[in-house]
Amino acid sequence: MNSERERTYHHGDLRRVILDAALDVIATNGPGALSLRDLARRADVSHAAPAHHFKDRTGLLTAVAAEGYALFADALAGAPDLRERGVAYVRFAATHPAHFQVMFQPDLHRTDDPDLLAARTRATEALRAGVADLPPSGRGEDDRLAGVAAWSLAHGFATLLLSGNLADAMEGRDPEEAFRSLAALIFAPE
């Protein structure tokens, strides 16, 4: 007997259960496949329960992006220099592919959400600090363009890695070591 009334029990941490189910769906089928009704079914709760925590699909994706940026900022914080921040970027994408997909698609979430803004600011500051630590000859005349170059390299590499487009080029190489080699080509130390 699995009536609607029985399915409305308190889950403990339903918010976390729904987020985890959403991350599974996104990692497997992409953010377009996400539905609050399906997540409620997976969590065995009423179809209205996820809306209590996230209001709507955009609210859920905003929570995924905010959590992703917070995890991302933490991952970047321990890196000693720009190259290792790039490695941390690639590692984050590989270990958190669902977060990564949502974070960089602003049309999926509320870009003005305070939690999202705070986490994204922390991550941005960590990346900028890596550029600022480069010797002037290693970053050129414009720090912002050096930051864009570093971001483009790390994000492009991570995106190509996740989409399987580097399989032939990698030839079994460790992605982190391959990224270190690429970064050395562009941001060569003096």
Side-chain angles (χ1 to χ4, degrees):
M1 182 162 110
N2 192 11
S3 71
E4 187 70 21
R5 183 172 179 203
E6 288 177 350
R7 292 179 56 203
T8 61
Y9 67 92
H10 189 268
H11 232 278
D13 189 358
L14 181 59
R15 185 179 196 282
R16 181 78 257 159
V17 169
I18 297 297
L19 273 171
D20 288 343
L23 292 168
D24 288 343
V25 169
I26 295 165
T28 305
N29 300 311
L34 202 61
S35 129
L36 291 182
R37 188 174 289 272
D38 175 56
L39 295 175
R41 184 189 53 74
R42 290 170 183 253
D44 197 30
V45 295
S46 75
H47 70 273
H52 174 73
H53 293 280
F54 303 104
K55 186 178 175 189
D56 56 19
R57 183 177 182 278
T58 303
L60 174 60
L61 289 167
T62 300
V64 168
E67 179 178 79
Y69 273 111
L71 292 167
F72 185 47
D74 292 345
L76 295 171
D81 59 25
L82 182 62
R83 184 180 315 175
E84 290 307 307
R85 281 181 178 94
V87 170
Y89 196 112
V90 170
R91 186 181 307 124
F92 173 82
T95 57
H96 299 281
H99 287 104
F100 189 79
Q101 285 184 62
V102 174
M103 291 163 52
F104 298 103
Q105 292 188 54
D107 58 316
L108 294 179
H109 47 78
R110 293 184 180 97
T111 58
D112 61 348
D113 178 78
D115 293 337
L116 175 64
L117 288 171
R120 187 171 52 209
T121 297
R122 278 191 332 130
T124 300
E125 287 171 357
L127 290 170
R128 286 184 179 154
V131 173
D133 289 345
L134 288 173
S137 63
R139 64 178 178 249
E141 296 176 17
D142 188 336
D143 286 357
R144 288 189 60 92
L145 285 180
V148 170
W151 183 26
S152 297
L153 179 63
H155 191 81
F157 185 87
T159 300
L160 290 168
L161 182 68
L162 289 179
S163 63
N165 285 299
L166 293 180
D168 290 342
M170 294 295 289
E171 297 176 336
R173 291 185 187 109
D174 174 63
E176 293 178 20
E177 288 304 316
F179 181 82
R180 282 184 183 99
S181 296
L182 290 173
L185 294 172
I186 294 179
F187 294 101
E190 282 196 17

